[in-house]
Amino acid sequence: MRPHPRIRKAIKWGGPVVALSVATLLLLSTRSVMLYTVREDDMIALYAGRAQLLVNYGDGLSTNETGFMFYLRQSDIEWLPSLLTGTNGYILSVPLWLPFVLITLPTALAWRLDTIATRRAKLGACPTCSYPRTGLAPSSPCPECGKECAATVPPPASG
């Protein structure tokens, strides 16, 4: 089953936007620390090239306010995900390169599939099996795979 064109279009154009946003956060997190306090003891932190979720960590990390805090700090990138548990809660840490790769791969695949489909349509080939449809009526099924091809066959080159 082929993906719906709107889904492929959303992945094709939305993927680069999201990947660029994650890459920007990755670069910002190497030069700064961003903390967002959700509740008294729960925080989301971005620093050292990673996103961290701190849950129920009450000793010294919590504040009485909720909100956003930002400050500059040089840090090295930490590359591996981790989960630290303790008596006060847990810290889930995910490096930002991981979602960047997981977003970029389907985006690149959608662009590649769209390029192949466009190339086949320009050549007058069947979009399913790439059988050359030159000389066939536009409404006739493909002799190779039997699928109805809505693609029009380009006129033969004169000359």
Side-chain angles (χ1 to χ4, degrees), residues 10-125:
I11 293 171
K12 184 178 164 186
W13 292 105
V17 172
V18 175
L20 185 63
S21 301
V22 172
T24 303
L25 285 176
L26 175 65
L27 291 175
L28 278 174
S29 68
T30 60
R31 305 274 184 229
S32 61
V33 175
M34 294 167 269
L35 295 170
Y36 181 72
T37 307
V38 182
R39 293 184 308 183
E40 284 183 12
D41 297 334
D42 299 340
M43 290 186 198
I44 299 170
L46 289 172
Y47 74 96
R50 61 180 47 234
Q52 287 189 335
L53 176 65
L54 296 91
V55 178
N56 292 329
Y57 242 84
D59 287 349
L61 293 175
S62 65
T63 61
N64 292 331
E65 301 175 2
T66 60
F68 184 76
M69 197 178 352
F70 177 86
Y71 58 94
L72 297 174
R73 177 181 164 221
Q74 182 73 25
S75 60
D76 293 331
I77 294 177
E78 296 179 20
W79 295 97
L80 299 175
S82 63
L83 175 64
L84 302 172
T85 58
T87 57
N88 297 331
Y90 65 90
I91 300 174
L92 175 64
S93 183
V94 177
L96 290 174
W97 65 264
L98 193 59
F100 177 79
V101 169
L102 292 176
I103 293 166
T104 304
L105 289 177
T107 302
L109 181 65
W111 277 91
R112 177 70 181 146
L113 291 175
D114 198 48
T115 302
I116 290 171
T118 303
R119 187 179 305 139
R120 284 182 182 170
K122 283 182 182 177
L123 293 175

